[in-house]
Amino acid sequence: MPSFDVIVIGCGAVGSAALLHLARAGKRVLGIDRFQPPHIFGSTHGETRITRAAIGEGVDYTPLAQRSHQIWRDLERETAAHLFEQCGCLFIPARDGGEVHGVSSAQFFANIETAARLHGVDGETISPERLRTDYPGFATVPGDRAFLDREGGYLLVEDCVRTELAVAARLGAELRTGRRVTSFRRAGGELTVTMDDGTSASAATLIVTTGPWIAELIAPLQRRVTITRQVLYWFEVLSNPQRFGKGAPVFIWDVTGRERAASDIYGFPWLGSPDNGVKIANEVLTGETDPDHVPREVTADEIEATYETYVRPFVPDLGPRCLRNAVCLYTNAPGGRFVIDRDPGDDNVIYASPCSGHGFKHSPAVGEALAAMALGQTPRVDVSGFTLDRLPS
């Protein structure tokens, strides 16, 4: 049975980053994934993910985001890959009520401004007058305001994971794909993992980063995690393509309470050509699903309802024709928080999840922290505030 210093179970956003940092440290490390990452079955696909530095979910996330931006830039220089487009992130809060990732819209906006001030984020609050003048693609109304985080933008999600795994392999990491870990146990001073093909491997330390499947291996999360289905849409551009072209920011707009809307929407500039459409989605945090049986087909009724409720009233330059779509998953914890901790049954089993729908931007720094924890070191960014016992009850 092969033996490693560390085994990483789940090689999506966080797992691929942990694998890379462990390989950089010269450790013998194995990554295991039930699919072929990057793949379409979890939370790490669909072309792009938003990144931002002034974090509305809480000011304690901003150091993770800023460190992650440094890691992405270092990785770009090392590989000549293009991973991070720093076009800015525009956040427009709800006028009355609303919630984003477990935080009230008003508090989310206040957290953004506080995080920018405390951590020196390049950004500014945009007045209602400037918002309507500078961003005419959004059907805002008098009194709407916004915050522009100039350090934000988008990440090319599949390329990010692919690049991390490639560099990790070049540095000596091993990767076994198409295999599901069914169990792990301590034996003979090491932790042994068993896979669904009957093979096993052992290591001094395990890192579990299996996203929506996390509760299969980490029992304390079974009652704290919910999985929700998210649909990403690419709608046609009918007019003014320059409003969503190169240099346009990504955006998050809490439209709760307007028209029939009941959540925030978020979107991206078009990539390559306006003919490719604008990616836009609204977040769905109700209706728990099963990651192995989630409906992957997006119906015509879903497309029409999303357009009429979340697109047409707010982004009128986009048309009703959906050019393509994709389904992904959120792994949600109370308060929209992360969980980064050690298994109470074995201190050498470290896990990170859920990411509550806003994890990809932080994944390089979280992976770096997990690698440090596995090596008995102090993480560069403090993650002690993300333990399981810190979750809201």
Side-chain angles (χ1 to χ4, degrees):
M1 180 172 59
S3 180
F4 298 85
D5 297 315
V6 184
I7 295 175
V8 178
I9 305 172
C11 295
V14 175
S16 61
L19 199 72
L20 172 58
H21 288 292
L22 288 163
R24 285 201 192 283
K27 300 302 176 180
R28 188 164 185 230
V29 58
L30 169 67
I32 305 171
D33 198 282
R34 66 178 66 201
F35 302 111
Q36 303 282 337
H39 57 76
I40 65 170
F41 302 108
S43 307
T44 308
H45 63 284
E47 190 173 77
T48 51
R49 288 292 184 276
I50 287 176
T51 186
R52 41 199 165 88
I55 305 298
E57 289 85 355
V59 297
D60 50 344
Y61 291 94
T62 288
L64 286 172
Q66 292 183 315
R67 175 58 184 152
S68 293
H69 288 175
Q70 293 173 359
I71 295 171
W72 291 128
R73 290 308 191 201
D74 289 344
L75 197 57
E76 286 180 323
R77 283 188 288 270
E78 179 181 356
T79 63
H82 176 51
L83 307 175
F84 173 19
E85 184 67 31
Q86 189 176 339
C87 58
C89 177
L90 187 74
F91 175 71
I92 308 172
R95 294 174 60 84
D96 183 23
E99 184 177 287
V100 181
H101 296 150
V103 180
S104 73
S105 192
Q107 186 60 54
F108 198 94
F109 192 85
N111 287 347
I112 288 174
E113 293 186 310
T114 301
R117 184 176 68 255
L118 290 178
H119 297 288
V121 176
D122 181 11
E124 65 173 319
T125 300
I126 305 295
S127 69
E129 295 74 20
R130 274 192 58 200
L131 181 60
R132 291 173 64 83
T133 300
D134 294 354
Y135 301 98
F138 304 122
T140 57
V141 297
D144 280 338
R145 57 177 179 157
F147 188 92
L148 178 63
D149 178 350
R150 295 191 184 90
E151 295 182 21
Y154 61 84
L155 299 157
L156 297 166
V157 59
E158 288 94 348
D159 290 342
C160 288
V161 171
R162 189 178 294 113
T163 300
E164 287 176 312
L165 291 176
V167 174
R170 179 169 56 79
L171 295 173
E174 294 186 34
L175 184 64
R176 297 185 189 176
T177 59
R179 303 181 192 188
R180 181 173 66 88
V181 172
T182 57
S183 64
F184 63 82
R185 62 185 177 87
R186 178 166 288 282
E190 287 198 317
L191 287 155
T192 298
V193 302
T194 301
M195 289 163 266
D196 57 359
D197 63 353
T199 61
S200 299
S202 65
T205 305
L206 302 183
I207 293 176
V208 182
T209 51
T210 51
W213 296 275
I214 189 74
E216 290 181 355
L217 296 175
I218 305 298
L221 288 179
Q222 289 176 358
R223 294 174 298 279
R224 307 306 303 274
V225 168
T226 59
I227 313 302
T228 53
R229 174 180 179 266
Q230 310 295 319
V231 182
L232 313 173
Y233 302 89
W234 283 258
F235 283 103
E236 64 180 334
V237 180
L238 286 183
S239 57
N240 299 302
Q242 75 282 356
R243 293 176 175 174
F244 301 95
K246 187 174 179 58
V250 300
F251 66 91
I252 304 170
W253 185 2
D254 190 351
V255 295
T256 302
R258 305 190 192 195
E259 302 286 335
R260 294 172 293 161
S263 75
D264 61 291
I265 57 174
Y266 65 93
F268 301 78
W270 47 258
L271 300 187
S273 163
D275 294 340
N276 295 324
V278 166
K279 179 184 171 183
I280 192 169
N282 68 289
E283 294 188 303
V284 178
L285 300 179
T286 58
E288 189 172 355
T289 191
D290 176 349
D292 289 319
H293 302 97
V294 59
R296 298 277 172 184
E297 180 183 356
V298 180
T299 67
D301 287 345
E302 282 184 278
I303 294 169
E304 180 181 8
T306 299
Y307 177 76
E308 291 297 331
T309 305
Y310 290 100
V311 181
R312 183 186 57 78
F314 307 109
V315 195
D317 286 314
L318 304 185
R321 187 164 60 99
C322 181
L323 305 180
R324 56 193 172 104
N325 53 65
V327 170
C328 72
L329 302 172
Y330 277 6
T331 309
N332 307 289
R337 297 291 289 177
F338 293 178
V339 184
I340 302 169
D341 209 345
R342 297 179 185 269
D343 192 309
D346 196 312
D347 203 48
N348 288 322
V349 177
I350 304 165
Y351 65 92
S353 194
C355 291
S356 297
H358 59 108
F360 193 88
K361 71 181 73 60
H362 304 292
S363 60
V366 173
E368 182 181 54
L370 294 174
M373 292 168 66
L375 300 177
Q377 302 169 356
T378 300
R380 179 166 178 161
V381 177
D382 181 17
V383 294
S384 61
F386 298 106
T387 53
L388 182 60
D389 61 4
R390 301 290 291 272
L391 281 183
S393 57

